[in-house]
Amino acid sequence: MRLLHTSDWHLGRAFHRVNMLGAQAEFIRHLVTTVRERAVDAVVVSGDVYDRAVPPLAAVELFDDALHRLAALGVPTVMISGNHDSARRLGVGAGLIGRAGIHLRTEPSAAGTPVVLADADGEVAFYGLPYLEPALVKDEFGVEKAGHEAVLAAAMDRVRADLAARPAGTRSVVLAHAFVTGGEPSDSERDITVGGVAAVPAGVFDGVDYVALGHLHGCQTLTDRVRYSGSPLPYSFSEAAHRKSMWLVDLAADGSLGAERVDCPVPRALARIRGTLEDLLADPELAQHEEAWVEATLTDPVRPADPMARLAERFPHTLSLVFDPDRDEDESEVSYARRLAGRSDQEIAEDFVAHVRGAGPDPHEQGVLRDAFDAVRADETVREVAR
């Protein structure tokens, strides 16, 4: 059975100030063409279909168009919700849509109930594990302490129990939306840390033939059977080195598999350039980036006049301007934004405690802070769904 694995469409998302809806529509056309021309038997979409819980109408219309195109090909599609999606909204009409061969899996309680497809070699069970927010699903899975590893392990126990009851030789595919140990994150993914821990070990998914992951935006192979497809389009300059693609996976009768990357159409290259303004405007080696989306980091010791306008004369698609002067400076002179860059909410709070009283929080206090951040994030998720 030939599978096309994709994820993290983020329909409705912009890239800095650039509307990406046209590029997202082009990706959908490319997806449908690939399904048709490469004789794909099933499409799997591993979450973050939309960029937010209440997507703009244009994004919903594009999603509707994608479903109609895939259904018209007669190729089954299995799709889960991600942490950016509203599971309840995405799952509306799932039973009816399923009759057209589009199988939406957004309910955690259905983790052990597969979509079963068949080819000449027998049946393949597709198990959809939507994004599992630990604080919201721990009771469903009977785990005492909310955590990504605990809830995913419990969901996979249901998968393995169902698979064990099926005829010998039944192949299996799991769709999951999670941060798995060994994956390389980028700046454009929403933090899903719970209890100070974001990643779960790949061993959680042992016992199935293929694991189609979503959440991280770079295409990655964690093991031969556990892979991220990555996002089909770039959503931050940290993805400048990414090769945007999908996985074309051939699942043989004995469960062995082969995988090939299928490149996605990207509207414009990304480039990160660094130097003084005069050097960036004059360096002949930078000619290759003149038509790229550009993030420019200026190292001038004094901020030059009209830097964006001057950069745009050579690099008309400059979208981001960063100042990082080459000069010695005390920590007290470093900007607040720079001091916080790359730090988690937990680390910022702990630093604040240390600043106020002269000593950082003890282990018990660190736990209190973690619980507070987890509770706030879970509450935000509930309110997003309820809007």
Side-chain angles (χ1 to χ4, degrees), residues 71-96:
L73 292 176
V75 176
T77 298
V78 184
M79 183 178 297
I80 61 172
S81 50
N83 60 302
H84 280 250
D85 300 309
S86 165
R88 291 180 62 185
R89 283 188 172 87
L90 187 63
V92 168
L96 185 61

PDB file of all heavy atoms in Angstrom, residues 71-96:
ATOM      1  N   ALA A  71     -11.603  13.548  -2.293  1.00  0.00           N
ATOM      2  CA  ALA A  71     -12.743  12.630  -2.401  1.00  0.00           C
ATOM      3  C   ALA A  71     -13.020  12.291  -3.862  1.00  0.00           C
ATOM      4  O   ALA A  71     -13.376  11.148  -4.190  1.00  0.00           O
ATOM      5  CB  ALA A  71     -13.976  13.247  -1.744  1.00  0.00           C
ATOM      6  N   ALA A  72     -12.848  13.272  -4.755  1.00  0.00           N
ATOM      7  CA  ALA A  72     -13.114  13.035  -6.171  1.00  0.00           C
ATOM      8  C   ALA A  72     -12.145  12.017  -6.770  1.00  0.00           C
ATOM      9  O   ALA A  72     -12.487  11.316  -7.724  1.00  0.00           O
ATOM     10  CB  ALA A  72     -13.031  14.350  -6.948  1.00  0.00           C
ATOM     11  N   LEU A  73     -10.936  11.915  -6.195  1.00  0.00           N
ATOM     12  CA  LEU A  73      -9.968  10.932  -6.679  1.00  0.00           C
ATOM     13  C   LEU A  73     -10.301   9.519  -6.208  1.00  0.00           C
ATOM     14  O   LEU A  73      -9.748   8.547  -6.731  1.00  0.00           O
ATOM     15  CB  LEU A  73      -8.562  11.297  -6.197  1.00  0.00           C
ATOM     16  CG  LEU A  73      -7.927  12.557  -6.784  1.00  0.00           C
ATOM     17  CD1 LEU A  73      -6.576  12.818  -6.118  1.00  0.00           C
ATOM     18  CD2 LEU A  73      -7.746  12.433  -8.294  1.00  0.00           C
ATOM     19  N   GLY A  74     -11.160   9.415  -5.210  1.00  0.00           N
ATOM     20  CA  GLY A  74     -11.494   8.104  -4.673  1.00  0.00           C
ATOM     21  C   GLY A  74     -10.378   7.500  -3.839  1.00  0.00           C
ATOM     22  O   GLY A  74     -10.336   6.284  -3.639  1.00  0.00           O
ATOM     23  N   VAL A  75      -9.461   8.351  -3.362  1.00  0.00           N
ATOM     24  CA  VAL A  75      -8.340   7.886  -2.532  1.00  0.00           C
ATOM     25  C   VAL A  75      -8.643   8.221  -1.080  1.00  0.00           C
ATOM     26  O   VAL A  75      -8.822   9.395  -0.748  1.00  0.00           O
ATOM     27  CB  VAL A  75      -7.021   8.545  -2.972  1.00  0.00           C
ATOM     28  CG1 VAL A  75      -5.871   8.128  -2.052  1.00  0.00           C
ATOM     29  CG2 VAL A  75      -6.697   8.163  -4.411  1.00  0.00           C
ATOM     30  N   PRO A  76      -8.706   7.229  -0.192  1.00  0.00           N
ATOM     31  CA  PRO A  76      -9.027   7.509   1.212  1.00  0.00           C
ATOM     32  C   PRO A  76      -8.002   8.437   1.854  1.00  0.00           C
ATOM     33  O   PRO A  76      -6.807   8.383   1.553  1.00  0.00           O
ATOM     34  CB  PRO A  76      -8.992   6.125   1.872  1.00  0.00           C
ATOM     35  CG  PRO A  76      -9.109   5.148   0.748  1.00  0.00           C
ATOM     36  CD  PRO A  76      -8.489   5.795  -0.442  1.00  0.00           C
ATOM     37  N   THR A  77      -8.484   9.293   2.752  1.00  0.00           N
ATOM     38  CA  THR A  77      -7.630  10.201   3.508  1.00  0.00           C
ATOM     39  C   THR A  77      -7.931  10.031   4.990  1.00  0.00           C
ATOM     40  O   THR A  77      -9.093  10.005   5.395  1.00  0.00           O
ATOM     41  CB  THR A  77      -7.881  11.661   3.097  1.00  0.00           C
ATOM     42  OG1 THR A  77      -7.546  11.829   1.720  1.00  0.00           O
ATOM     43  CG2 THR A  77      -7.048  12.621   3.929  1.00  0.00           C
ATOM     44  N   VAL A  78      -6.883   9.897   5.789  1.00  0.00           N
ATOM     45  CA  VAL A  78      -7.025   9.826   7.246  1.00  0.00           C
ATOM     46  C   VAL A  78      -6.336  11.056   7.823  1.00  0.00           C
ATOM     47  O   VAL A  78      -5.190  11.354   7.487  1.00  0.00           O
ATOM     48  CB  VAL A  78      -6.401   8.541   7.827  1.00  0.00           C
ATOM     49  CG1 VAL A  78      -6.662   8.453   9.329  1.00  0.00           C
ATOM     50  CG2 VAL A  78      -6.950   7.303   7.112  1.00  0.00           C
ATOM     51  N   MET A  79      -7.031  11.758   8.700  1.00  0.00           N
ATOM     52  CA  MET A  79      -6.569  13.064   9.156  1.00  0.00           C
ATOM     53  C   MET A  79      -6.836  13.205  10.651  1.00  0.00           C
ATOM     54  O   MET A  79      -7.895  12.807  11.142  1.00  0.00           O
ATOM     55  CB  MET A  79      -7.342  14.131   8.364  1.00  0.00           C
ATOM     56  CG  MET A  79      -6.967  15.561   8.619  1.00  0.00           C
ATOM     57  SD  MET A  79      -7.940  16.664   7.539  1.00  0.00           S
ATOM     58  CE  MET A  79      -7.402  16.167   5.904  1.00  0.00           C
ATOM     59  N   ILE A  80      -5.865  13.761  11.400  1.00  0.00           N
ATOM     60  CA  ILE A  80      -6.055  14.009  12.826  1.00  0.00           C
ATOM     61  C   ILE A  80      -5.946  15.511  13.100  1.00  0.00           C
ATOM     62  O   ILE A  80      -5.436  16.280  12.285  1.00  0.00           O
ATOM     63  CB  ILE A  80      -5.030  13.247  13.692  1.00  0.00           C
ATOM     64  CG1 ILE A  80      -3.594  13.696  13.364  1.00  0.00           C
ATOM     65  CG2 ILE A  80      -5.200  11.745  13.533  1.00  0.00           C
ATOM     66  CD1 ILE A  80      -2.540  13.126  14.302  1.00  0.00           C
ATOM     67  N   SER A  81      -6.412  15.918  14.271  1.00  0.00           N
ATOM     68  CA  SER A  81      -6.267  17.304  14.703  1.00  0.00           C
ATOM     69  C   SER A  81      -4.946  17.478  15.439  1.00  0.00           C
ATOM     70  O   SER A  81      -4.434  16.550  16.072  1.00  0.00           O
ATOM     71  CB  SER A  81      -7.440  17.701  15.615  1.00  0.00           C
ATOM     72  OG  SER A  81      -7.633  16.743  16.646  1.00  0.00           O
ATOM     73  N   GLY A  82      -4.373  18.682  15.324  1.00  0.00           N
ATOM     74  CA  GLY A  82      -3.132  18.996  16.010  1.00  0.00           C
ATOM     75  C   GLY A  82      -3.356  20.005  17.115  1.00  0.00           C
ATOM     76  O   GLY A  82      -4.501  20.380  17.417  1.00  0.00           O
ATOM     77  N   ASN A  83      -2.287  20.488  17.728  1.00  0.00           N
ATOM     78  CA  ASN A  83      -2.444  21.408  18.850  1.00  0.00           C
ATOM     79  C   ASN A  83      -2.906  22.794  18.409  1.00  0.00           C
ATOM     80  O   ASN A  83      -3.412  23.566  19.225  1.00  0.00           O
ATOM     81  CB  ASN A  83      -1.136  21.520  19.658  1.00  0.00           C
ATOM     82  CG  ASN A  83       0.031  22.034  18.847  1.00  0.00           C
ATOM     83  OD1 ASN A  83       0.399  21.452  17.831  1.00  0.00           O
ATOM     84  ND2 ASN A  83       0.641  23.131  19.278  1.00  0.00           N
ATOM     85  N   HIS A  84      -2.770  23.137  17.134  1.00  0.00           N
ATOM     86  CA  HIS A  84      -3.295  24.410  16.645  1.00  0.00           C
ATOM     87  C   HIS A  84      -4.777  24.312  16.276  1.00  0.00           C
ATOM     88  O   HIS A  84      -5.452  25.342  16.209  1.00  0.00           O
ATOM     89  CB  HIS A  84      -2.508  24.873  15.412  1.00  0.00           C
ATOM     90  CG  HIS A  84      -1.209  25.532  15.740  1.00  0.00           C
ATOM     91  ND1 HIS A  84      -0.975  26.875  15.571  1.00  0.00           N
ATOM     92  CD2 HIS A  84      -0.058  25.020  16.237  1.00  0.00           C
ATOM     93  CE1 HIS A  84       0.257  27.173  15.931  1.00  0.00           C
ATOM     94  NE2 HIS A  84       0.843  26.055  16.329  1.00  0.00           N
ATOM     95  N   ASP A  85      -5.264  23.126  16.006  1.00  0.00           N
ATOM     96  CA  ASP A  85      -6.653  22.947  15.585  1.00  0.00           C
ATOM     97  C   ASP A  85      -7.598  22.939  16.778  1.00  0.00           C
ATOM     98  O   ASP A  85      -7.222  22.582  17.893  1.00  0.00           O
ATOM     99  CB  ASP A  85      -6.815  21.612  14.842  1.00  0.00           C
ATOM    100  CG  ASP A  85      -5.960  21.518  13.598  1.00  0.00           C
ATOM    101  OD1 ASP A  85      -6.016  22.449  12.780  1.00  0.00           O
ATOM    102  OD2 ASP A  85      -5.245  20.503  13.451  1.00  0.00           O
ATOM    103  N   SER A  86      -8.838  23.277  16.526  1.00  0.00           N
ATOM    104  CA  SER A  86      -9.911  22.964  17.465  1.00  0.00           C
ATOM    105  C   SER A  86     -10.425  21.582  17.082  1.00  0.00           C
ATOM    106  O   SER A  86     -11.033  21.410  16.022  1.00  0.00           O
ATOM    107  CB  SER A  86     -11.047  23.986  17.364  1.00  0.00           C
ATOM    108  OG  SER A  86     -12.210  23.486  18.019  1.00  0.00           O
ATOM    109  N   ALA A  87     -10.153  20.594  17.936  1.00  0.00           N
ATOM    110  CA  ALA A  87     -10.551  19.222  17.602  1.00  0.00           C
ATOM    111  C   ALA A  87     -12.050  19.124  17.365  1.00  0.00           C
ATOM    112  O   ALA A  87     -12.504  18.444  16.437  1.00  0.00           O
ATOM    113  CB  ALA A  87     -10.121  18.277  18.724  1.00  0.00           C
ATOM    114  N   ARG A  88     -12.842  19.817  18.183  1.00  0.00           N
ATOM    115  CA  ARG A  88     -14.302  19.718  18.040  1.00  0.00           C
ATOM    116  C   ARG A  88     -14.763  20.340  16.730  1.00  0.00           C
ATOM    117  O   ARG A  88     -15.642  19.805  16.048  1.00  0.00           O
ATOM    118  CB  ARG A  88     -14.977  20.394  19.227  1.00  0.00           C
ATOM    119  CG  ARG A  88     -14.770  19.637  20.545  1.00  0.00           C
ATOM    120  CD  ARG A  88     -15.457  20.324  21.695  1.00  0.00           C
ATOM    121  NE  ARG A  88     -16.897  20.379  21.511  1.00  0.00           N
ATOM    122  CZ  ARG A  88     -17.722  21.025  22.344  1.00  0.00           C
ATOM    123  NH1 ARG A  88     -17.230  21.677  23.385  1.00  0.00           N
ATOM    124  NH2 ARG A  88     -19.019  21.027  22.134  1.00  0.00           N
ATOM    125  N   ARG A  89     -14.185  21.471  16.368  1.00  0.00           N
ATOM    126  CA  ARG A  89     -14.599  22.113  15.112  1.00  0.00           C
ATOM    127  C   ARG A  89     -14.155  21.290  13.901  1.00  0.00           C
ATOM    128  O   ARG A  89     -14.917  21.101  12.958  1.00  0.00           O
ATOM    129  CB  ARG A  89     -14.019  23.516  15.032  1.00  0.00           C
ATOM    130  CG  ARG A  89     -14.747  24.536  15.889  1.00  0.00           C
ATOM    131  CD  ARG A  89     -14.241  25.944  15.614  1.00  0.00           C
ATOM    132  NE  ARG A  89     -15.067  26.929  16.307  1.00  0.00           N
ATOM    133  CZ  ARG A  89     -14.867  27.332  17.559  1.00  0.00           C
ATOM    134  NH1 ARG A  89     -13.841  26.830  18.245  1.00  0.00           N
ATOM    135  NH2 ARG A  89     -15.661  28.210  18.121  1.00  0.00           N
ATOM    136  N   LEU A  90     -12.918  20.825  13.929  1.00  0.00           N
ATOM    137  CA  LEU A  90     -12.429  20.048  12.798  1.00  0.00           C
ATOM    138  C   LEU A  90     -13.229  18.761  12.636  1.00  0.00           C
ATOM    139  O   LEU A  90     -13.422  18.281  11.519  1.00  0.00           O
ATOM    140  CB  LEU A  90     -10.947  19.729  12.988  1.00  0.00           C
ATOM    141  CG  LEU A  90     -10.232  19.051  11.818  1.00  0.00           C
ATOM    142  CD1 LEU A  90     -10.219  19.962  10.595  1.00  0.00           C
ATOM    143  CD2 LEU A  90      -8.811  18.669  12.199  1.00  0.00           C
ATOM    144  N   GLY A  91     -13.703  18.214  13.756  1.00  0.00           N
ATOM    145  CA  GLY A  91     -14.403  16.937  13.716  1.00  0.00           C
ATOM    146  C   GLY A  91     -15.884  17.014  13.403  1.00  0.00           C
ATOM    147  O   GLY A  91     -16.548  15.975  13.290  1.00  0.00           O
ATOM    148  N   VAL A  92     -16.415  18.238  13.249  1.00  0.00           N
ATOM    149  CA  VAL A  92     -17.838  18.376  12.930  1.00  0.00           C
ATOM    150  C   VAL A  92     -18.140  17.692  11.592  1.00  0.00           C
ATOM    151  O   VAL A  92     -17.459  17.935  10.595  1.00  0.00           O
ATOM    152  CB  VAL A  92     -18.248  19.864  12.881  1.00  0.00           C
ATOM    153  CG1 VAL A  92     -19.635  20.017  12.273  1.00  0.00           C
ATOM    154  CG2 VAL A  92     -18.212  20.466  14.272  1.00  0.00           C
ATOM    155  N   GLY A  93     -19.145  16.841  11.598  1.00  0.00           N
ATOM    156  CA  GLY A  93     -19.540  16.151  10.368  1.00  0.00           C
ATOM    157  C   GLY A  93     -18.649  14.991   9.992  1.00  0.00           C
ATOM    158  O   GLY A  93     -18.725  14.492   8.864  1.00  0.00           O
ATOM    159  N   ALA A  94     -17.791  14.541  10.933  1.00  0.00           N
ATOM    160  CA  ALA A  94     -16.824  13.489  10.598  1.00  0.00           C
ATOM    161  C   ALA A  94     -17.507  12.218  10.095  1.00  0.00           C
ATOM    162  O   ALA A  94     -17.029  11.569   9.160  1.00  0.00           O
ATOM    163  CB  ALA A  94     -15.955  13.168  11.813  1.00  0.00           C
ATOM    164  N   GLY A  95     -18.638  11.839  10.708  1.00  0.00           N
ATOM    165  CA  GLY A  95     -19.332  10.629  10.291  1.00  0.00           C
ATOM    166  C   GLY A  95     -19.818  10.716   8.855  1.00  0.00           C
ATOM    167  O   GLY A  95     -19.668   9.774   8.071  1.00  0.00           O
ATOM    168  N   LEU A  96     -20.372  11.863   8.507  1.00  0.00           N
ATOM    169  CA  LEU A  96     -20.881  12.053   7.153  1.00  0.00           C
ATOM    170  C   LEU A  96     -19.739  12.144   6.147  1.00  0.00           C
ATOM    171  O   LEU A  96     -19.769  11.531   5.075  1.00  0.00           O
ATOM    172  CB  LEU A  96     -21.734  13.318   7.108  1.00  0.00           C
ATOM    173  CG  LEU A  96     -22.448  13.626   5.788  1.00  0.00           C
ATOM    174  CD1 LEU A  96     -23.414  12.505   5.424  1.00  0.00           C
ATOM    175  CD2 LEU A  96     -23.180  14.962   5.883  1.00  0.00           C
TER     176      LEU A  96
END
